[in-house]
Amino acid sequence: MQTTTRVAVIGGGVVGCSVLYHLTKLGWSDVLLLERSDLTSGSTWHAAGGFHTLNGDTNMAALQGYTIKLYRELEEITGMSCGLHHVGGVTLADNKDRFDMLVAERAKHRYMGLETEIITPEDIAKIAPITNTDGIIGGLYDPLDGHLDPSGTTHAYAKAARMGGATIETHVKVETTTQRPDGSWDVITNKGTIHAEHVVNAAGLWAREVGAMAGVYLPLHPMEHQYLVTEETPEIYERDEEHPHVMDPAGESYLRQEGRGLCIGFYEQPCRPWAVDGTPWDFGHELLPDDFDKIEDSIDFAFKRFPVLERAGVKSVIHGPFTFAPDGNPLVGPVPGLRNYWSACGVMAGFSQGGGVGLMLAQWMIEGETERDTFAMDVSRFGDWITPGYTRPKVIENYQRRFSVSYPNEELPAARPHRTTPMYDIFTKMGAVWGQQFGLEVANYFAQGDEPTFETPSFRRSDAFEATAREVTAVRSKAGINEVQNFGKFRISGAGARAWLDRIMAGRIPKAGRLSLTPMLSHKGRLIGDFTVSCTSEAEFYLTASYGSQSYHKRWFEQHAVDGVTVENISDALTGFQIAGPLSREILQACTRDDVTAMRFMDVRDMTVGQVACRVQRVSYTGDLGYEIYCNPMDQRQLWETLWAEGQPKGLTPFGMRAMMSLRLDKFFGSWLSEFSPDYTAAETGMDRFISFKKDVDFIGRTAAEAERETPPDRQLCAFEVDANDADVVAYEPVFIDGQVQGFCTSGGFAHHSAKSIALALIPREKVKEGLQVEIEILGEMRSAKLMTTPPFDADGARMRG
């Protein structure tokens, strides 16, 4: 066995073999895969082998589309069969909400190039005749759906990787991984030690244990999963063509043809986590004991939906474990806090997602970044606060909701509240309706009187609509207050801090006492951060950005660390409040002896507010006159008492994130991971106005940004006023220009102050002209929309800057 390699991939399931193949495809041939047993041991061998493109996250859906199309390529490269059955698939809708979800997904598919279609119950009866369509109001048909041979496909990946120069060693158990001072790894196995520049954890059911060898906790958990294969069924084997897949969310089941019979699997409510305290090392090609009791209700429902099942005998039962992350998406990418250690695990839909995961990880390792935004599966989306005690209930919740309707405003309850600020009980008593971000409870809005303290999930305007309008009015007419805990915050210090920031950030780094807004770019010029930079001295700066992306950003900072500069993540060491609105200056002045009126827009100043030492920044995402007031968490309640005592008589009103996202639309402000993400460049989204091309620094991404400055990109972010009905734009709705899909929405909603339904969208730059009229598809309805070139609130910035 070789003793050195550029990459050691641990795990020989479909994901590990896909990673290995894609590394060779992109040019790295000195790569090695280690499997403790045989290829496919673990979850791969007993998988049902189905694949589909449907996914609530658009980038994940695109990667699933890539995976499915890859199988023909693998067959051509290797001469091996993947056992492909492209039979198409139908997802059923038995209620209006589920149908709305499918219609919204179909709309997204229009600009993604996926040829799905909405079909009627009559169509379903023809396409999938064993389906009882009673109670069904429609469905989504996807011609790409199908199934394959799990073992054959995995071995095809393996052969293609070997053809590219890779080595695969089976019956080699990894026992320890130890990092050397230079960042490389010693991978110690039962057959010797391998020195690897990079390690990839693709260990599937054993990913937790392999991660622990490197001192890292990966938030995933195995769940028991059961599917049945029937005896031969005349309604199936007498057909002229193979029966398509049928996904029945109401019955929490998926069904497909298997030989001359059927295969049906369930995501039952009385589900069970497996191997709670660790996966046994000697587990491999075993199955779990049959357990019909937990799927009894599911089977009864399936008999009604597919009556043929009641007459079909059970040929075999496959009951085995596979892993989930807390939100159901994979855990992929460089593990924060470690050098050259990569995750490729938690891929519970391996034959839908494995190809895309392999491609993204290989791009990440070789090119330094991926071709699209991968945050939905980035291992950094969970911070170091996460524990097995949090992961397990979230995984159970996700399993139970595998086929549930996913609403844009939904807040799932499991493992909550987990992290709270000192204001949690105070805001709860004031009617706070809570959401969560990165494990933190965040107030979405405040209910009053007999209003419910739970927002009903909906694709349309929800029961938070009136409360949001009330809070928006308070901010615009008097003043509003909310927490600033849910900002990611970093302290950058040292003699080289300014020089380092000038290279990391594309924008201008401010002088002492000032702040600036700046994008952070990848080497290819993609947007990877949207930051406020505050300078308190030449050797000290503070950054604020997305709270949910703090681990993602910290990882980038660590990858570009230099001597003489200290980067501290202080996201939870600094908290406070934002006050905004025309009376915010008056309220703050009443709370301090400092001269608030002397603060210019974009000033930052240390001051005492009441009894509390604070750092105050004159800036507000509401687009109004406003201040961000930061303090130690131990002082937050005292700061609240001061601000509330002075502000309440002047109409100061608590407001939440629903109002914040409405207020920003009045100014056409973009939002992180909506308008600003690695999918887009600064020039596409208008963030290039914050790039400092004058500074004499080769900042990261400069070459790409300057190229777009010379030759503007083909698309441009614009705002539209939509003639909406009872539903507004959420994201990814197609934009029709001259009857054709030529763009898509990045986000939107109802701007209560201007009383307009506003959508932000990327469209061809050449189409951006005064008076442009378009149509936007919202929940299957074509809604007219007109281009807006002037923000409806404070267009000249007089109030915000005055």
Side-chain angles (χ1 to χ4, degrees):
M1 187 175 70
Q2 68 191 74
T3 57
T4 63
T5 186
R6 190 170 199 173
V7 182
V9 178
I10 302 172
V14 64
V15 175
C17 290
S18 171
V19 169
L20 197 71
Y21 162 65
H22 282 94
L23 287 170
T24 64
K25 183 178 181 179
L26 270 61
W28 283 9
S29 58
D30 180 18
V31 292
L32 169 68
L33 184 145
L34 302 172
E35 165 54 45
R36 72 181 177 91
S37 181
D38 296 307
L39 295 184
T40 77
S41 294
S43 297
T44 296
W45 78 270
H46 62 71
F51 53 77
H52 59 275
T53 59
L54 188 64
N55 190 294
D57 182 273
T58 305
N59 278 317
M60 289 301 302
L63 290 175
Q64 289 175 198
Y66 165 81
T67 300
I68 294 167
K69 294 173 182 177
L70 175 66
Y71 293 133
R72 294 293 184 197
E73 178 183 322
L74 281 177
E75 290 183 328
E76 292 173 4
I77 291 170
T78 64
M80 296 178 66
S81 172
C82 292
L84 288 176
H85 296 256
H86 274 292
V87 297
V90 177
T91 301
L92 307 177
D94 66 333
N95 60 56
K96 188 65 168 64
D97 279 1
R98 202 179 304 279
F99 188 70
D100 280 347
M101 184 182 78
L102 296 181
V103 169
E105 290 302 309
R106 167 64 188 118
K108 295 177 187 178
H109 295 164
R110 289 189 193 278
Y111 75 86
M112 293 172 63
L114 298 175
E115 300 300 324
T116 58
E117 61 178 300
I118 296 296
I119 57 177
T120 66
E122 292 73 25
D123 296 328
I124 294 169
K126 294 176 183 176
I127 295 170
I130 68 169
T131 307
N132 176 7
T133 59
D134 290 349
I136 299 298
I137 61 176
L140 179 74
Y141 178 73
D142 186 348
L144 281 181
D145 274 15
H147 57 277
L148 45 65
D149 170 22
S151 178
T153 300
T154 304
H155 282 279
Y157 273 124
K159 182 176 180 179
R162 287 190 181 104
M163 291 170 67
T167 301
I168 296 175
E169 297 284 354
T170 59
H171 300 280
V172 176
K173 180 187 175 186
V174 173
E175 297 177 336
T176 308
T177 57
T178 305
Q179 191 160 44
R180 295 186 179 185
D182 65 356
S184 63
W185 291 84
D186 286 326
V187 181
I188 302 167
T189 78
N190 62 335
K191 295 185 178 180
T193 298
I194 299 157
H195 179 219
E197 181 182 347
H198 298 271
V199 169
V200 176
N201 182 345
L205 289 173
W206 295 268
R208 292 175 298 174
E209 288 71 28
V210 170
M213 295 176 187
V216 64
Y217 169 65
L218 293 170
L220 47 80
H221 197 90
M223 295 292 293
E224 298 179 2
H225 182 67
Q226 198 164 207
Y227 65 91
L228 317 177
V229 177
T230 74
E231 301 282 1
E232 294 185 353
T233 306
E235 290 87 344
I236 296 300
Y237 67 72
E238 291 178 355
R239 285 173 53 84
D240 294 331
E241 58 186 3
E242 190 169 355
H243 197 280
H245 287 204
V246 183
M247 304 264 282
D248 182 21
E252 299 162 337
S253 71
Y254 58 87
L255 174 141
R256 66 168 175 84
Q257 184 170 336
E258 173 69 19
R260 290 162 64 88
L262 290 165
C263 166
I264 184 167
F266 305 100
Y267 283 85
E268 68 284 354
Q269 292 302 302
C271 59
R272 293 199 184 101
W274 181 78
V276 172
D277 296 315
T279 303
W281 286 108
D282 59 356
F283 186 84
H285 282 277
E286 300 88 348
L287 288 173
L288 306 178
D290 299 349
D291 189 349
F292 287 99
D293 288 344
K294 70 174 181 175
I295 60 172
E296 182 179 3
D297 291 342
S298 300
I299 292 174
D300 287 344
F301 195 98
F303 284 167
K304 297 182 179 66
R305 181 69 72 214
F306 309 106
V308 65
L309 291 173
E310 200 162 9
R311 303 188 295 274
V314 175
K315 179 181 178 181
S316 58
V317 179
I318 295 84
H319 189 200
F322 64 117
T323 56
F324 280 86
D327 59 3
N329 278 341
L331 298 172
V332 180
V335 174
L338 294 178
R339 292 171 62 192
N340 299 341
Y341 191 95
W342 305 78
S343 175
C345 53
V347 190
M348 69 91 192
F351 294 98
S352 291
Q353 300 172 343
V357 166
L359 175 66
M360 291 299 101
L361 192 67
Q363 288 180 349
W364 221 329
M365 296 179 73
I366 296 172
E367 301 171 12
E369 59 186 279
T370 56
E371 68 185 53
R372 61 175 64 246
D373 178 15
T374 53
F375 191 77
M377 65 179 183
D378 192 328
V379 66
S380 74
R381 72 187 185 275
F382 299 107
D384 56 12
W385 49 267
I386 201 166
T387 66
Y390 176 92
T391 298
R392 190 164 56 255
K394 294 304 288 186
V395 165
I396 291 170
E397 177 184 62
N398 186 272
Y399 185 98
Q400 292 172 327
R401 294 183 49 78
R402 180 79 175 94
F403 287 138
S404 296
V405 178
S406 295
Y407 297 92
N409 67 327
E410 190 166 32
E411 298 286 353
L412 301 179
R416 291 179 55 200
H418 183 68
R419 311 184 81 216
T420 61
T421 75
M423 290 301 297
Y424 183 76
D425 60 334
I426 293 175
F427 278 173
T428 297
K429 290 176 182 177
M430 298 179 76
V433 179
W434 295 98
Q436 74 84 34
Q437 183 185 21
F438 205 61
L440 174 72
E441 294 297 312
V442 179
N444 280 337
Y445 65 95
F446 292 81
Q448 291 185 1
D450 59 358
E451 292 176 345
T453 55
F454 171 79
E455 183 181 5
T456 304
S458 177
F459 289 99
R460 301 170 192 276
R461 293 173 185 167
S462 76
D463 47 13
F465 191 80
E466 295 302 326
T468 302
R470 181 171 63 237
E471 293 172 16
V472 166
T473 298
V475 172
R476 290 286 188 244
S477 64
K478 294 180 180 178
I481 184 169
N482 69 357
E483 289 190 274
V484 291
Q485 171 70 25
N486 59 322
F487 286 154
K489 312 172 197 78
F490 295 89
R491 180 176 180 264
I492 316 297
S493 59
R498 178 178 291 277
W500 183 80
L501 282 170
D502 256 329
R503 172 162 166 69
I504 293 293
M505 301 295 174
R508 179 181 56 83
I509 305 305
K511 297 178 180 179
R514 296 286 289 168
L515 60 87
S516 65
L517 307 178
T518 173
M520 186 166 71
L521 306 180
S522 74
H523 291 281
K524 295 182 179 180
R526 317 299 287 183
L527 286 168
I528 58 171
D530 170 25
F531 282 85
T532 298
V533 181
S534 306
C535 178
T536 55
S537 74
E538 280 302 302
E540 183 180 63
F541 297 82
Y542 289 87
L543 312 181
T544 55
S546 164
Y547 187 80
S549 296
Q550 60 184 270
S551 291
Y552 170 89
H553 288 142
K554 180 67 182 299
R555 182 178 63 198
W556 181 261
F557 297 154
E558 289 174 342
Q559 289 169 353
H560 296 86
V562 298
D563 291 338
V565 178
T566 301
V567 178
E568 302 167 80
N569 183 355
I570 58 169
S571 297
D572 297 321
L574 206 60
T575 188
F577 302 97
Q578 171 188 204
I579 57 172
L583 300 184
S584 58
R585 179 189 285 120
E586 181 181 334
I587 293 169
L588 181 56
Q589 185 62 79
C591 300
T592 181
R593 297 186 63 81
D594 288 80
D595 185 4
V596 177
T597 62
M599 285 192 74
R600 299 167 295 164
F601 181 60
M602 307 287 268
D603 270 357
V604 56
R605 182 175 299 176
D606 290 336
M607 64 174 66
T608 302
V609 181
Q611 302 175 28
V612 178
C614 298
R615 192 180 78 244
V616 179
Q617 301 185 162
R618 191 180 151 190
V619 67
S620 173
Y621 189 54
T622 65
D624 214 315
L625 171 66
Y627 304 84
E628 293 171 357
I629 309 168
Y630 294 92
C631 68
N632 187 299
M634 294 293 287
D635 296 327
Q636 189 185 17
R637 288 178 75 127
Q638 175 60 44
L639 178 59
W640 163 260
E641 294 295 339
T642 299
L643 294 170
W644 187 240
E646 292 293 343
Q648 191 177 14
K650 298 177 176 66
L652 185 65
T653 300
F655 71 102
M657 288 305 297
R658 296 281 186 262
M660 179 81 90
M661 298 308 283
S662 174
L663 290 158
R664 60 110 183 178
L665 291 172
D666 283 328
K667 296 282 286 185
F668 303 161
F669 286 170
S671 175
W672 179 243
L673 294 183
S674 293
E675 285 68 45
F676 312 136
S677 87
D679 278 334
Y680 315 127
T681 67
E684 287 177 324
T685 58
M687 285 293 282
D688 55 340
R689 69 188 185 276
F690 297 116
I691 293 179
S692 177
F693 290 104
K694 293 181 179 179
K695 65 181 183 180
D696 187 21
V697 177
D698 185 21
F699 58 81
I700 296 172
R702 179 164 194 151
T703 300
E706 285 186 332
E708 286 202 322
R709 192 183 186 196
E710 292 296 321
T711 306
D714 293 336
R715 58 188 183 182
Q716 179 178 332
L717 184 68
C718 298
F720 291 90
E721 180 181 353
V722 185
D723 180 21
N725 186 9
D726 63 342
D728 304 294
V729 158
V730 176
Y732 298 111
E733 293 85 352
V735 178
F736 290 78
I737 304 174
D738 301 326
Q740 295 183 323
V741 177
Q742 298 192 45
F744 63 93
C745 298
T746 52
S747 73
F750 194 79
H752 288 273
H753 177 71
S754 54
K756 298 179 187 298
S757 181
I758 293 177
L760 300 179
L762 282 163
I763 65 170
R765 187 174 295 269
E766 62 184 21
K767 299 289 184 179
V768 182
K769 297 176 182 176
E770 192 77 38
L772 175 66
Q773 297 279 340
V774 304
E775 287 186 305
I776 298 175
E777 183 181 350
I778 302 176
L779 298 180
E781 293 185 6
M782 302 298 288
R783 310 302 303 184
S784 61
K786 61 181 180 181
L787 181 70
M788 301 177 73
T789 56
T790 303
F793 172 74
D794 195 31
D796 61 359
R799 188 148 123 180
M800 182 173 67
R801 293 181 171 86

